[in-house]
Amino acid sequence: MTSVSGVGYSRSLFPALSTKPSRSPSRRVASVIRNAVSVEKKSFTLDKSEEIFNAAKELMPGGVNSPVRAFKSVGGQPIVFDSVKGSRMWDVDGNEYIDYVGSWGPAIIGHADDKVNAALIETLKKGTSFGAPCVLENVLAEMVISAVPSVEMVRFVNSGTEACMGALRLARAFTGRQKVIKFEGCYHGHADSFLVKAGSGVATLGLPDSPGVPKGATSDTLTSPYNDLETIKNLFNTHKGDIAAVILEPVVGNAGFITPKPEFLNSLRKITKENGALLIFDEVMTGFRLAYGGAQEYFGIIPDLTTMGKIIGGGLPVGAYGGRRDIMEKVAPAGPMYQAGTLSGNPLAMTAGIHTLKRLMEPGCYDYLDNITGDLVNGILDAGKRGGHEMCGGHIRGMFGFFFTGGPVHNFADAKKSDTSKFARFHRGMLEEGVYLAPSQFEAGFTSLAHSSKDIEQTVEAAERVLQRI
Ligand SMILES: Cc1ncc(COP(=O)(O)O)c(C=O)c1O
């Protein structure tokens, strides 16, 4: 029996591994897993990653379970990881990286936090899923309600996609209207109605709106450039009385890092109220990241509904939507709007969320994130200037981004002016220097409480070297 990160893989546990014919990809994967153990780091090679990923491509579409992971826009093959801790990740070839992806956001207190892990082990002893009420749901619900200004009641689900799907259905049920406005480059998960001019993987892969989405599902989805109030006003005039909701990322992370112009969020709040539409903040990314109460606390704007995910699950699969009590009481079984989930509110996921939020309640967390992230972004932008590159970027607390264009970047069209091949070279160079960045120009980056000033210094020094040579 061999082990990867202390997990035993044996033929008796996985009999299929020994019964499949020898050409079976599963068998090859098993052999690669065996070989991937306890590697001493020598130089930057990715042989084992490549071997495992080549096998994965025969097993899963594109070799991954979520498209952006596939490195399509930066070239090369994705890296296969073995373990994570704090600010660091280790791949199967033994390379160590300072991580700025943070599992795409959840890892705000650092990977595999000791207290979260210890709490998970205690919960695990009582079972992994009840499919029935448990007190841990109350605990996390109370924490979310007392943290997030707009949330008076909450429903837990299993992903950000589910949270946004639920919130949209609820907005339609509450208002009795069909149409929704979303912004170009914003990503609200992969539900049919939102796959229109979407950000994240859709933007990274340059995909047109996805095949398989019925026309009917998107015919009520209206779009506007981000930060463009004139278009919003025109849409409300053209579709008077038909718009159920405006949904947006209050700070965009899925078209790269884009901040709202002063007055943008405030005006959206005013326009939606005047027109009887709901304002939905998709805080799957910004929730508990920009402030303990999310972007709505940071900017002082209270939406009607809020969607959450990532951090509230502390690395386990959790999403949530919540908002005003009169709206939330329309959700079944309190009300008629149906939405359900076999594993929703499961005790492990609730535990990871509770202990992650507990850590974030400690004083000074968000100032710390703001300081180190500011040093990181300013360091990279200064290094860019010295290297003769046109760049712009910014950060709020533990969320950041930079573009290879002079900017300013106020919307997705501006973001697309970036030199994406230069980003690809930068990304590759940083990997070789031991820094793991999101493999797309159109994704935000994340720091964590586990990132030290030394980590930031090392990253900026690495960026300096790479930006001099690309
Ligand atoms: C703002 C936002 N909304 C929704 C989602 C979808 O969440 P999930 O990937 O958990 O389904 C994401 C994912 O990155 C996101 O960033």
Side-chain angles (χ1 to χ4, degrees):
M1 179 155 132
T2 56
S3 85
V4 176
S5 278
V7 179
Y9 289 81
S10 74
R11 282 176 186 277
S12 58
L13 276 175
F14 296 94
L17 297 183
S18 57
T19 52
K20 289 238 172 138
S22 63
R23 285 183 64 242
S24 153
S26 322
R27 194 157 171 152
R28 250 176 294 130
V29 172
S31 90
V32 172
I33 289 171
R34 279 195 298 278
N35 294 335
V37 185
S38 330
V39 194
E40 290 267 306
K41 178 168 168 25
K42 290 188 187 79
S43 59
F44 185 75
T45 55
L46 294 170
D47 300 343
K48 289 198 169 99
S49 258
E50 280 176 18
E51 207 178 328
I52 293 174
F53 187 68
N54 285 337
K57 282 193 282 193
E58 295 183 47
L59 301 165
M60 295 166 282
V64 290
N65 284 304
S66 195
V68 169
R69 294 179 198 170
F71 275 39
K72 287 264 187 203
S73 74
V74 291
Q77 288 212 349
I79 291 171
V80 177
F81 283 96
D82 179 47
S83 64
V84 290
K85 184 78 186 166
S87 63
R88 305 282 165 151
M89 301 170 85
W90 290 267
D91 71 18
V92 290
D93 288 276
N95 302 301
E96 178 175 333
Y97 306 85
I98 306 174
D99 174 33
Y100 293 101
V101 180
S103 192
W104 301 94
I108 191 167
I109 66 171
H111 289 291
D113 178 79
D114 287 343
K115 285 191 179 146
V116 175
N117 280 358
L120 280 172
I121 288 165
E122 286 311 304
T123 299
L124 187 63
K125 289 178 189 163
K126 297 183 177 182
T128 57
S129 178
F130 303 156
C134 77
V135 69
L136 295 168
E137 294 168 290
N138 293 21
V139 177
L140 188 57
E142 272 183 16
M143 292 177 89
V144 170
I145 289 166
S146 56
V148 185
S150 67
V151 176
E152 294 173 355
M153 280 186 122
V154 66
R155 164 61 58 86
F156 290 115
V157 292
N158 302 290
S159 68
T161 294
E162 267 190 75
C164 295
M165 264 169 60
L168 176 59
R169 187 178 303 146
L170 178 56
R172 286 172 165 161
F174 184 78
T175 58
R177 301 172 177 183
Q178 297 299 312
K179 297 201 184 296
V180 59
I181 300 179
K182 79 173 280 292
F183 292 91
E184 293 166 12
C186 281
Y187 180 67
H188 306 295
H190 61 86
D192 285 349
S193 325
F194 294 125
L195 284 184
V196 184
K197 298 189 177 164
S200 192
V202 186
T204 298
L205 301 177
L207 295 175
D209 302 338
S210 173
V213 175
K215 277 202 181 70
T218 53
S219 56
D220 284 323
T221 306
L222 310 168
T223 61
S224 161
Y226 198 76
N227 273 320
D228 181 348
L229 287 169
E230 277 317 299
T231 302
I232 293 296
K233 285 178 194 157
N234 289 338
L235 287 173
F236 271 104
N237 281 336
T238 312
H239 302 279
K240 247 188 192 355
D242 288 339
I243 296 173
V246 174
I247 185 168
L248 78 159
E249 295 178 62
V251 169
V252 183
N254 286 294
F257 175 81
I258 304 174
T259 53
K261 283 183 184 167
E263 282 311 300
F264 180 61
L265 300 178
N266 222 346
S267 301
L268 285 180
R269 179 61 286 184
K270 199 162 157 275
I271 295 166
T272 46
K273 204 169 253 172
E274 283 167 0
N275 287 277
L278 300 186
L279 180 63
I280 308 175
F281 273 12
D282 178 351
E283 297 233 38
V284 168
M285 195 179 272
T286 54
F288 295 91
R289 181 158 286 279
L290 302 192
Y292 190 67
Q296 54 200 269
E297 177 194 314
Y298 186 84
F299 292 108
I301 310 282
I302 313 295
D304 301 296
L305 289 175
T306 299
T307 59
M308 291 160 277
K310 299 188 190 273
I311 289 172
I312 57 162
L316 274 85
V318 181
Y321 60 99
R324 271 176 22 214
R325 180 175 293 274
D326 61 323
I327 306 175
M328 289 304 291
E329 281 182 337
K330 290 271 181 275
V331 178
M337 190 220 78
Y338 194 72
Q339 183 271 307
T342 299
L343 292 173
S344 296
N346 100 74
L348 281 176
M350 297 294 102
T351 298
I354 291 164
H355 290 272
T356 300
L357 298 198
K358 266 193 185 162
R359 172 74 179 92
L360 289 173
M361 286 170 84
E362 291 172 20
C365 287
Y366 290 93
D367 287 342
Y368 180 77
L369 289 171
D370 202 40
N371 288 335
I372 57 162
T373 316
D375 289 348
L376 174 73
V377 172
N378 294 330
I380 292 174
L381 293 180
D382 288 348
K385 217 177 277 169
R386 283 191 291 276
H389 303 288
E390 287 220 0
M391 289 178 79
C392 66
H395 82 287
I396 298 179
R397 305 275 168 75
M399 179 173 171
F400 70 91
F402 49 84
F403 295 100
F404 280 97
T405 175
V409 173
H410 293 307
N411 55 40
F412 190 35
D414 293 339
K416 282 196 283 192
K417 292 178 191 152
S418 294
D419 184 340
T420 50
S421 26
K422 194 178 268 185
F423 175 82
R425 294 197 296 280
F426 179 67
H427 184 268
R428 181 72 196 186
M430 291 300 272
L431 274 183
E432 289 171 6
E433 293 275 351
V435 176
Y436 191 71
L437 297 169
S440 165
Q441 174 72 103
F442 305 122
E443 296 285 353
F446 304 109
T447 51
S448 80
L449 296 174
H451 284 78
S452 64
S453 303
K454 188 104 186 44
D455 287 335
I456 304 296
E457 261 170 49
Q458 272 182 30
T459 306
V460 170
E461 283 164 16
E464 179 84 43
R465 287 189 290 276
V466 176
L467 287 162
Q468 287 295 328
R469 67 174 184 259
I470 60 170

